[in-house]
Amino acid sequence: MADALPATALDRILELTVLLGEDMTAGLAAQGLTPSRAHLLFCLHERGPTTQRDLARALTVAPRTVTGLVDGLVAGGFVTREPHPRDRRATLVTPTEHGAEVAAGLHAGRAELAARLFGDLPAPQVGDLVDALDRVLRRLREATP
Amino acid sequence: MADALPATALDRILELTVLLGEDMTAGLAAQGLTPSRAHLLFCLHERGPTTQRDLARALTVAPRTVTGLVDGLVAGGFVTREPHPRDRRATLVTPTEHGAEVAAGLHAGRAELAARLFGDLPAPQVGDLVDALDRVLRRLREATP
DNA sequence: TATTGTTATACTCTATAACTATA
DNA sequence: TATAGTTATAGAGTATAACAATA
């Protein structure tokens, strides 16, 4: 029991991971999205219409996985598959109006959650927290390249 | 762009979530475990031989899910199903010698990871980090009961 | 010949419902 | 009647391999 502080810090982060995951998954489910589909939709929101191939690369996921995710998003009315104007093999996954609104909402929701979690803290404390997390992230990347 | 600091803090935590998850999943996979199976094995390590029913309660998971997880752990030689001494309906999931060793290793690995991430930081800084995370966790629990 | 997206197959995790054996 | 664990079925996410159409 010489130094339990690091272990406590890790415990808190793991707990935060779980709670944050549950919170976000529940919020997404309320809109008819799974985390993976939301990730794809969000990606689309940033990049505009994109081929499935490029989506697979952007999400570091197998092409087959994108087929399934897009199938689900099409069924839910979030995106459509449009023909690529110059490559008849490819399809351009394109957000519908509804999909674009939801994606914008996700973006706003993220800022809202951040405000809920950190908005009340004095800025210097949030700054210190960010610095500490940066250090931890750096160490994690060093050991796991 | 009035106050991007909370958003940055959330970004860091989400990134940490992803990296930590990958790091742990890879470590578990190297030992032939998935995260869910490791969770069950770890639970068993803390409680000793346990019925599947109680495992389902402890992991907040459907009984059927426990059947599948235990099937996998039995196939991997981590646990066995032993008859319950007083209730012939129930089985006591029991770690094998190998399973107990792996579980102990998981425990040690967690402390190691904590040291890797936070061991070099001065104790007061780690303390501040824990405090900040506690505050965030409290807010998350308040809003999501 | 290389690339895009598909079908086919398989595995993990999860859930609900119906069933068996036991309490 | 209630409980423990199973089978049966289902759906999400992921992966690999083989294949079609197109480049």
Side-chain angles (χ1 to χ4, degrees):
Chain A
M1 208 58 62
D3 192 5
L5 210 47
T8 304
L10 181 57
D11 278 354
R12 292 296 185 282
I13 286 181
L14 292 176
E15 198 176 346
L16 189 55
T17 288
V18 172
L19 286 180
L20 221 42
E22 285 171 358
D23 186 271
M24 296 178 77
T25 301
L28 293 175
Q31 296 184 288
L33 287 171
T34 64
S36 298
R37 291 178 190 174
H39 193 182
L40 194 156
L41 184 60
F42 197 74
C43 198
L44 222 51
H45 181 246
E46 289 173 331
R47 308 161 53 106
T50 307
T51 65
Q52 296 191 186
R53 186 70 197 178
D54 286 340
L55 284 170
R57 276 193 266 259
L59 303 171
T60 49
V61 130
R64 178 61 183 92
T65 303
V66 173
T67 299
L69 295 176
V70 172
D71 284 351
L73 287 168
V74 168
F78 296 96
V79 305
T80 58
R81 277 189 246 243
E82 302 296 333
H84 191 289
R86 287 185 318 282
D87 185 341
R88 274 188 294 173
R89 296 172 303 176
T91 64
L92 279 177
V93 183
T94 308
T96 61
E97 201 173 324
H98 175 237
E101 280 168 20
V102 170
L106 292 181
H107 199 264
R110 199 157 144 167
E112 229 173 79
L113 176 60
R116 199 171 99 210
L117 295 180
F118 308 105
D120 296 0
L121 290 182
Q125 257 181 53
V126 180
D128 287 348
L129 178 62
V130 170
D131 288 345
L133 291 172
D134 274 339
R135 262 179 247 116
V136 171
L137 280 167
R138 211 174 308 129
R139 260 163 229 178
L140 205 48
R141 285 204 207 85
E142 278 164 15
T144 328
Chain B
M1 208 56 63
D3 193 4
L5 210 47
T8 305
L10 182 56
D11 279 353
R12 293 295 186 281
I13 286 181
L14 292 177
E15 197 176 346
L16 188 55
T17 288
V18 172
L19 286 179
L20 220 44
E22 285 172 358
D23 186 272
M24 296 179 76
T25 301
L28 292 174
Q31 296 183 287
L33 285 172
T34 64
S36 298
R37 289 176 190 175
H39 192 184
L40 194 155
L41 184 60
F42 197 74
C43 197
L44 223 51
H45 181 246
E46 289 173 333
R47 308 160 54 104
T50 306
T51 64
Q52 296 191 186
R53 185 74 197 176
D54 287 341
L55 284 170
R57 277 193 266 259
L59 302 171
T60 48
V61 131
R64 177 60 183 92
T65 303
V66 173
T67 299
L69 295 176
V70 172
D71 284 351
L73 287 167
V74 167
F78 296 97
V79 306
T80 58
R81 274 190 247 243
E82 303 295 332
H84 192 289
R86 289 185 317 282
D87 186 341
R88 274 187 295 172
R89 294 172 304 176
T91 64
L92 280 176
V93 183
T94 308
T96 61
E97 199 173 326
H98 175 236
E101 280 168 18
V102 170
L106 292 181
H107 199 264
R110 201 159 142 163
E112 227 172 80
L113 176 60
R116 199 172 98 210
L117 295 180
F118 308 105
D120 296 0
L121 291 181
Q125 258 181 51
V126 180
D128 287 347
L129 178 62
V130 170
D131 288 345
L133 292 172
D134 274 339
R135 260 179 249 118
V136 170
L137 281 167
R138 210 172 311 129
R139 261 167 228 176
L140 205 47
R141 284 203 207 86
E142 276 163 18
T144 329

